[in-house]
Structures are given as C-alpha cells and as structure tokens.
Amino acid sequence: MVLELSGYAVKVAATAEGALKVIEEFNPLGVLLDLGLPDKTSGLRLAEQVRARYGSMLVVIAVTGYAGSDNADVAMASGLDHVLAKPIDYERLNRILPPLR
C-alpha cells in the first residue's frame, strides 16, 4: 500500500514461479522479494533467475528478517541490488526504487 500511495503500480506473487510470471507480464521497474519464499525456490535463487533473464534492467531488492552482514554478502552475490531488513524503512525503499516512468 505504501508503494501504491507513492504512485507505483504493484503486483504480488506468493511463489517464485508466480513472481517470474508476474515479471514477464507486468514489466516492472523493480522487484521486491522475500528471501524466505514458501515454495521450493529460495529468494536468492529467484534473484539469480531474475538477473539471468533481465540483466540490470530491474532493481532487485530483498526483504528479509535475516539481514546480518553475512547474509547481505551472500544476497548481493546472488544478483540483488539491495537488502532491506524487516520491518522495512519505507523512506529508504523510496530512495532506492527507480523513479516512476
């Protein structure tokens, strides 16, 4: 809701497979993903898949409850641009998201 109030169009997917479909259909500016997904694909693996398909065209941001420095290093190596700890700092999120088209 916070992103929508800032003018962004938002689509939600509950699984990695669903996220890849939404990205393909929606053509977003960025992707916000949880590292702990409920299906067999981890958020890190999803980030790798998104990076492999779309390169640097998308800003890929992970949201996690496990934002220690070791986890952040692993996450960044997976193709993430940013790692945000829960609860999200929405001002920071707005600063790192690409500007609206």
Side-chain angles (χ1 to χ4, degrees):
M1 288 188 331
V2 172
L3 292 174
E4 289 174 326
L5 290 172
S6 297
Y8 290 94
V10 176
K11 300 289 182 187
V12 177
T15 64
E17 184 179 331
L20 290 171
K21 287 179 184 176
V22 167
I23 294 167
E24 183 70 28
E25 295 168 1
F26 186 56
N27 191 25
L29 297 170
V31 176
L32 212 63
L33 58 88
D34 196 324
L35 293 182
L37 295 172
D39 56 359
K40 295 177 184 177
T41 303
S42 73
L44 293 176
R45 180 68 184 126
L46 175 58
E48 291 170 347
Q49 292 172 331
V50 168
R51 212 32 101 210
R53 287 186 188 188
Y54 300 97
S56 61
M57 292 174 25
L58 296 175
V59 173
V60 183
I61 304 165
V63 179
T64 182
Y66 311 104
S69 61
D70 291 342
N71 290 327
D73 291 343
V74 170
M76 299 302 271
S78 297
L80 293 165
D81 294 303
H82 303 277
V83 177
L84 299 178
K86 293 177 185 177
I88 296 174
D89 176 344
Y90 291 105
E91 288 181 22
R92 181 171 179 218
L93 177 60
N94 276 321
R95 285 192 308 270
I96 63 178
L97 284 172
L100 295 169
R101 295 182 196 157

